[in-house]
Amino acid sequence: MRRVTTSKESPATRRTVLCGAALAALGLTTAGCGGDSGKDTSGSAPDEPVELGDAEAVPVGGAKLYAEQKVLVAQPEKGDFKGFSAICTHQGSLLGEIDGEVAVCPLHGSRFHVDSGKVAQGPATEALPAVPVKVEQGKLVAG
């Protein structure tokens, strides 16, 4: 007959070890998302009106990313400008590029429609906040 003993500590199973390793890796990945990794900590839109440059720089049917001002501007139709925060709603990273009709976050790959700010692909679940954009004397002004 086999003797069964109970103790407060049981040996780690393979599943426990693998789960612990996965959680540790996740913790390291999440820790890598802060600091100087692209995470923005100073807000998602200009606090006051800021000039972006010539309105002609934004292509009709396309968009332009103004990284320094943290603004994404689209021009779906001639003279119709739409502005959005260029800060990803997933973990606050600055969007990195425009790929056709979507703006892409380099941190985790979230994609946003440039003409509406809506999520095209996660992990982000919230649309980019709108930023007012107007044209003054041929120049775009955001905020």
Side-chain angles (χ1 to χ4, degrees):
M1 175 174 250
R2 187 171 165 187
R3 185 175 167 197
V4 178
T5 60
T6 59
S7 78
K8 293 184 180 188
E9 293 184 28
S10 61
T13 65
R14 181 172 185 233
R15 173 181 230 130
T16 304
V17 171
L18 290 175
C19 286
L23 289 173
L26 180 62
L28 291 174
T29 300
T30 302
C33 293
D36 293 330
S37 67
K39 184 163 174 105
D40 180 86
T41 58
S42 61
S44 60
D47 293 334
E48 54 189 53
V50 60
E51 186 177 299
L52 302 175
D54 291 332
E56 294 176 359
V58 180
V60 176
K64 181 174 170 77
L65 181 64
Y66 295 90
E68 187 175 321
Q69 295 85 0
K70 302 174 193 147
V71 177
L72 170 70
V73 178
Q75 185 178 192
E77 295 180 18
K78 180 121 177 103
D80 179 26
F81 294 94
K82 298 184 180 209
F84 303 96
S85 168
I87 304 299
C88 180
T89 57
H90 176 237
Q91 286 193 341
S93 180
L94 182 64
L95 299 178
E97 68 176 331
I98 296 172
D99 183 13
E101 297 178 353
V102 294
V104 182
C105 177
L107 195 59
H108 294 113
S110 291
R111 297 165 90 73
F112 301 88
H113 294 284
V114 296
D115 62 348
S116 66
K118 292 181 181 176
V119 176
Q121 175 184 318
T125 58
E126 295 179 38
L128 298 172
V131 173
V133 174
K134 59 186 172 184
V135 179
E136 291 182 353
Q137 301 176 358
K139 305 283 185 186
L140 288 172
V141 178

